Amino acid sequence: MDLYKKTYRVSAETKKAVEEIAAQENCTETAVFENAIRYYKDYLYMQTDGAFINESVKRTFLASVNLMESRINNRANKVLSELAIQQAIICQVLAHELEINPRALDGYRRAAVEYLKMNDRVFRLEDILEE
């Protein structure tokens, strides 16, 4: 970031307020002025462009949404992983205990895919047993 030196005239009251804020926030007076200009820029944007929220609120909100989305994805991935493991166990037990023709498996797969497509991906054992 390039820094430029420029002199501005401010009232004694403003000077005192900037010094107090800098001491309170443990930062430089330049940082106080930069933050003030940034906030004023957001204020002007809200007044002229009709924005609903300013940039700092928007960034905070998006960070919160991204964190929540990440947590939900992690939990969903854990559940899906556990389901995949359980299904693999069931398939191995069935394959070991039943004598299934390998050529028939492709037919079973096609029938299962068609069934799930027709029923909005809802699998009900009662429906399968009736067929």
Side-chain angles (χ1 to χ4, degrees), residues 59-89:
R59 282 193 303 270
T60 303
F61 181 73
L62 289 177
S64 177
V65 168
N66 288 337
L67 178 63
M68 187 60 68
E69 186 177 71
S70 175
R71 288 178 180 170
I72 289 171
N73 285 342
N74 287 341
R75 288 180 183 165
N77 288 339
K78 285 180 183 178
V79 169
L80 290 173
S81 177
E82 184 61 32
L83 286 172
I85 291 168
Q86 295 301 321
Q87 183 186 14
I89 292 169

Side-chain angles (χ1 to χ4, degrees), residues 16-35:
K16 183 180 175 188
V18 168
E19 290 170 348
E20 288 174 359
I21 293 171
Q24 182 180 358
E25 295 296 319
N26 195 23
C27 65
T28 64
E29 291 177 17
T30 302
V32 172
F33 277 110
E34 286 181 352
N35 285 334

Side-chain angles (χ1 to χ4, degrees), residues 76-126:
N77 288 339
K78 285 180 183 178
V79 169
L80 290 173
S81 177
E82 184 61 32
L83 286 172
I85 291 168
Q86 295 301 321
Q87 183 186 14
I89 292 169
I90 291 169
C91 288
Q92 288 177 7
V93 168
L94 283 173
H96 184 263
E97 296 299 322
L98 300 175
E99 293 181 20
I100 300 173
N101 182 351
R103 291 184 204 127
L105 281 178
D106 192 44
Y108 290 138
R109 177 172 167 53
R110 273 192 245 117
V113 168
E114 288 301 317
Y115 174 82
L116 291 173
K117 282 181 183 177
M118 290 173 43
N119 294 296
D120 295 325
R121 302 256 183 232
V122 175
F123 179 77
R124 299 178 63 97
L125 188 58
E126 303 89 46

